[in-house]
Amino acid sequence: MSQLDFKELYDEFNTKFHNKEYEKALDLSYELLKVAQKVDIEVAYALMAKVRVLKILDQKKQLLETFDEIIDNFSKTKDENISYIFAYALYNKAIILAKEKKYEEELSCYNQLLESFIADVSLKIELILTKTYLNKAICTKELGKLEDVVLVYEELIKNFENSEQEEVLLDVASALFNLSSIYQKLENNDKAIVKFDRLIEICNKINNKASLELLAKALVNKASLLSNINEISKALETYDEIINNFENEINPMLLSQVALALYNKILLLGELGKQAELIEVSDKFIEKFANTKDAIIKDMVLTAEVLKDKEKYNTNSF
């Protein structure tokens, strides 16, 4: 059969697929494999057609077998389009294995994927690789290797922190956030703060909804860490940065970080005995969040009211 025959059959497959005639589409995927004439790009597209249907039909066993067929056939390919299909197969095979808690096999998929592409990364593959690193870190953690998780995140950051793709940079920022949390657990606060600062730099560069949410969350965590290591003035400055930058936002996630910043600042001012400033910040917090429907923020507002009244009583007492 000719390439034209393959295209006509592939168009018919797409029609059946889009019309949700999945069993007929699956039959056509087998026909596509028969007419592919051992032309790699046709075989790859035929196998991906089969994958698309098997995913919809939730046929995990057959899906894994098809991914293996793609991986075995195209591990040495030089064709960019086929390389993307190969990467897709490895990545999605790993996702299935993760759900089945087969972590060693999952990790093997990530390693093969990274080894295949990390030396020559195209823009099309970049995002798959950053997602691979993030998932590899989670998988490595499941295997109980916290120090190795650090290495995975560090490698991701080193390889992609200068990417020009926003979504890739957002993955780098996520890795920095997770790495900061690990360094805090390992009681390496200096490194945690360095990672927070790099994250903040990257998020400011991206400046979209997802990056702003991560930025606000990182600033709250950085301020809390600074407070814990007695860098009080820097902690207060960081809380003020969150409040000033995000207090007029309507995004609930950003406002929740503003609430945390105000509340933590109130607690810190109480510890410092700065009564007048505590009352001022408490009034601002209570006014802004008095009608919140968030149960946690409601509790914080009640606490702020108690602290404010206590300070007023202390201020007016003899």
Side-chain angles (χ1 to χ4, degrees), residues 73-187:
N73 284 342
F74 301 118
S75 62
K76 304 296 183 184
T77 187
K78 300 298 181 183
D79 183 287
E80 186 176 349
N81 290 318
I82 299 175
S83 290
Y84 186 80
I85 290 171
F86 169 73
Y88 175 93
L90 268 171
Y91 182 85
N92 283 276
K93 178 184 176 182
I95 297 298
I96 293 173
L97 293 169
K99 290 176 181 176
E100 295 177 351
K101 299 186 178 182
K102 295 178 179 178
Y103 299 123
E104 293 286 357
E105 293 177 58
E106 178 196 359
L107 186 61
S108 177
C109 289
Y110 295 140
N111 287 336
Q112 184 178 355
L113 182 47
L114 292 170
E115 287 164 9
S116 298
F117 292 100
I118 202 62
D120 185 20
V121 181
S122 69
L123 290 177
K124 197 173 183 181
I125 295 292
E126 243 189 4
L127 188 58
I128 289 182
L129 295 187
T130 55
K131 299 292 184 191
T132 297
Y133 272 117
L134 290 175
N135 287 348
K136 180 180 176 180
I138 294 168
C139 178
T140 304
K141 185 179 179 181
E142 290 290 348
L143 293 168
K145 302 172 182 177
L146 193 58
E147 287 76 11
D148 288 346
V149 176
V150 170
L151 296 177
V152 175
Y153 283 134
E154 291 283 15
E155 190 175 320
L156 186 167
I157 295 159
K158 178 183 175 183
N159 287 332
F160 296 103
E161 64 180 336
N162 295 314
S163 172
E164 295 181 359
Q165 295 193 77
E166 285 191 354
E167 200 168 351
V168 169
L169 287 175
L170 191 60
D171 282 345
V172 172
S174 296
L176 284 161
F177 186 91
N178 295 337
L179 191 52
S180 297
S181 299
I182 293 172
Y183 279 133
Q184 287 180 73
K185 288 178 183 175
L186 296 174
E187 298 184 351

Side-chain angles (χ1 to χ4, degrees), residues 29 62 195 256 299 308:
S29 74
Q62 285 181 269
K195 299 306 175 185
S256 70
D299 288 342
K308 184 188 79 167

Side-chain angles (χ1 to χ4, degrees), residues 21 24-25 62 65 73 95 117 172-173 182 217 224 227 231 237 244 246 253 281 294 309:
E21 299 177 58
K24 291 180 180 178
Q62 285 181 269
E65 289 171 355
N73 284 342
I95 297 298
F117 292 100
V172 172
I182 293 172
K217 191 176 176 183
S224 178
S227 176
E231 294 277 0
E237 286 172 9
N244 294 335
F246 302 114
M253 194 279 173
V281 177
D294 185 294
D309 290 342

Side-chain angles (χ1 to χ4, degrees), residues 246-260:
F246 302 114
E247 64 181 336
N248 295 319
E249 294 284 344
I250 58 173
N251 181 334
M253 194 279 173
L254 292 176
L255 285 176
S256 70
Q257 299 306 311
V258 172
L260 277 170

Side-chain angles (χ1 to χ4, degrees), residues 7-22:
K7 183 180 182 307
E8 288 175 352
L9 195 58
Y10 192 76
D11 288 343
E12 186 181 350
F13 163 83
N14 278 325
T15 299
K16 297 296 183 187
F17 185 85
H18 290 304
N19 289 337
K20 299 184 179 181
E21 299 177 58
Y22 298 125

